[in-house]
Amino acid sequence: MTKSLRLLALALSLILLSVSSHAAERVLTLTQVSKNAYYAEGVSALGSPLNKNFISNAGVVIGPTGVVVIDALGSPTLGQQLIDEIRKLTNKPIQFVIATHYHADHIYGLQSFIDIGATVIAQESAKDYLNSDTAQLRLQASRSELAPWINDQTRLVPASRWIVEDTRMTLGGLDVDLIKMGPAHTPDDLAIYFPSEGVLFAGDLVFRGRIPYVGQADSLGWIHSLDKLLKRDAQVIVPGHGPSSTSAKEDLQFTRDYLVYVRQAMQQAARDLEPFDEAYAATDWSRYAKIPLFNAANRMNAYNIYISIQNE
């Protein structure tokens, strides 16, 4: 290796170390977004032992009689840290935790809330995931990849109340709209809206300031779900990842428009069984190319949507 290459390698190592250190330094704090609503923002990174799997957001709403939590973060330790932060704001009982969906980075902290007597609420389609080999294999892998934060004591926690349709409930003394979304980003998506606060907790239905992650999502169902949320009069939106926003409709529209654009770009090729590479190369991606994570996610998103259209 030449001297210049060694210097370049050293520089890249220092950059990676700096990024990793920054991720590790993220302290779990609660930021106020309305009179009674707060959220904790995870780091924009893949889950790792360094960041304790703190890569997603959680919400907290303090009602007249108790506290409602939205998502429990990505490890039992983080769940306990969230409880500790809530205790700095109020001594009211933490009565409910609502899961926006059963992805690991949002639900591995649930057991910390169960241990203090909270009730877990989720969309009924999550039962299929909880009873799947996929869930068990993911937990097994996480015990290795995310140790010591995920370990043999970490367990999957089912809800004790399952939502089967759009439902308005009174939780903690506040009216809460639980909006059945899936199948969209996942089969079990649930959006949570507090009318008195004007705050919508959208989970991973909304990616803010970055290209969405599609994965195995139902892109058409996701678009329909966002259409449903756009009818809500939310003043603040808290996404599953990224900062909160007071431009709720704009952020909902961005994710929706992106999904529509990718579907339109891939639709004809997928139905005519034309090669994906040719369809992707022929698409003008300039409107999204400068948005963060375009290079990391866009091609994979397009391919997943291309395959899903063939199966529709």
Side-chain angles (χ1 to χ4, degrees):
M1 182 182 290
T2 66
K3 181 178 181 181
S4 59
L5 286 176
R6 285 197 299 271
L7 290 174
L8 177 60
L10 177 59
L12 288 172
S13 297
L14 291 173
I15 290 170
L16 290 172
L17 179 61
S18 174
V19 171
S20 298
S21 297
H22 177 71
E25 290 170 0
R26 175 68 65 88
V27 176
L28 196 162
T29 58
L30 290 172
T31 300
Q32 190 169 14
V33 293
S34 71
K35 182 179 179 181
N36 299 297
Y38 304 78
Y39 85 111
E41 183 184 346
V43 299
S44 181
L46 296 176
S48 70
L50 197 62
N51 59 36
K52 304 179 186 178
N53 208 28
F54 183 27
I55 60 172
S56 63
N57 296 347
V60 174
V61 184
I62 302 172
T65 60
V67 178
V68 182
V69 175
I70 297 89
D71 286 339
L73 301 176
S75 67
T77 296
L78 289 171
Q80 183 59 54
Q81 289 180 7
L82 181 55
I83 291 169
D84 294 342
E85 288 302 305
I86 294 169
R87 286 287 165 252
K88 294 177 183 179
L89 297 175
T90 180
N91 288 322
K92 292 177 181 178
I94 301 171
Q95 297 176 313
F96 302 96
V97 184
I98 307 171
T100 62
H101 62 296
Y102 265 70
H103 273 180
D105 54 320
H106 296 261
I107 56 95
Y108 280 172
L110 280 174
Q111 66 190 69
S112 296
F113 290 90
I114 288 291
D115 290 347
I116 62 170
T119 296
V120 177
I121 302 172
Q123 208 248 82
E124 64 164 352
S125 298
K127 293 178 182 178
D128 293 335
Y129 175 75
L130 281 168
N131 295 322
S132 69
D133 291 339
T134 300
Q136 295 300 325
L137 291 171
R138 177 62 187 272
L139 179 57
Q140 182 178 337
S142 295
R143 285 169 173 158
S144 173
E145 296 166 1
L146 298 172
W149 314 111
I150 306 298
N151 57 35
D152 289 342
Q153 302 304 310
T154 307
R155 63 189 190 274
L156 294 170
V157 176
S160 50
R161 295 172 71 169
W162 296 102
I163 301 301
V164 299
E165 60 186 356
D166 292 358
T167 305
R168 173 165 285 194
M169 307 176 89
T170 300
L171 303 175
L174 293 172
D175 286 339
V176 186
D177 289 336
L178 304 178
I179 312 163
K180 184 178 179 180
M181 294 279 100
H185 175 70
T186 66
D188 54 288
D189 290 307
L190 193 65
I192 300 96
Y193 180 60
F194 290 81
S196 63
E197 301 296 314
V199 178
L200 173 69
F201 293 92
D204 285 3
L205 290 166
V206 176
F207 283 73
R208 186 159 183 261
R210 53 159 288 188
I211 293 294
Y213 168 68
V214 173
Q216 303 303 311
D218 181 333
S219 59
L220 189 59
W222 194 344
I223 291 166
H224 292 330
S225 293
L226 291 170
D227 285 338
K228 191 175 179 179
L229 292 182
L230 279 163
K231 296 176 182 178
R232 296 274 166 171
D233 188 26
Q235 284 79 55
V236 178
I237 189 167
V238 177
H241 300 264
S244 65
S245 170
T246 55
S247 302
K249 290 189 181 299
E250 180 180 323
D251 289 307
L252 288 165
Q253 194 70 47
F254 168 80
T255 301
R256 182 194 182 280
D257 288 350
Y258 171 79
L259 294 170
V260 168
Y261 187 82
V262 178
R263 279 187 62 88
Q264 289 174 343
M266 295 295 109
Q267 185 166 296
Q268 196 61 48
R271 290 178 176 172
D272 292 344
L273 299 180
E274 296 175 5
F276 166 75
D277 288 341
E278 293 180 10
Y280 189 84
T283 302
D284 179 7
W285 298 109
S286 59
R287 65 189 293 186
Y288 295 109
K290 294 183 179 180
I291 296 175
L293 295 185
F294 173 85
N295 291 332
N298 191 69
R299 186 181 181 88
M300 179 174 60
N301 288 345
Y303 181 73
N304 287 339
I305 288 176
Y306 170 89
I307 295 297
S308 69
I309 290 172
Q310 291 180 337
N311 295 326
E312 287 177 358

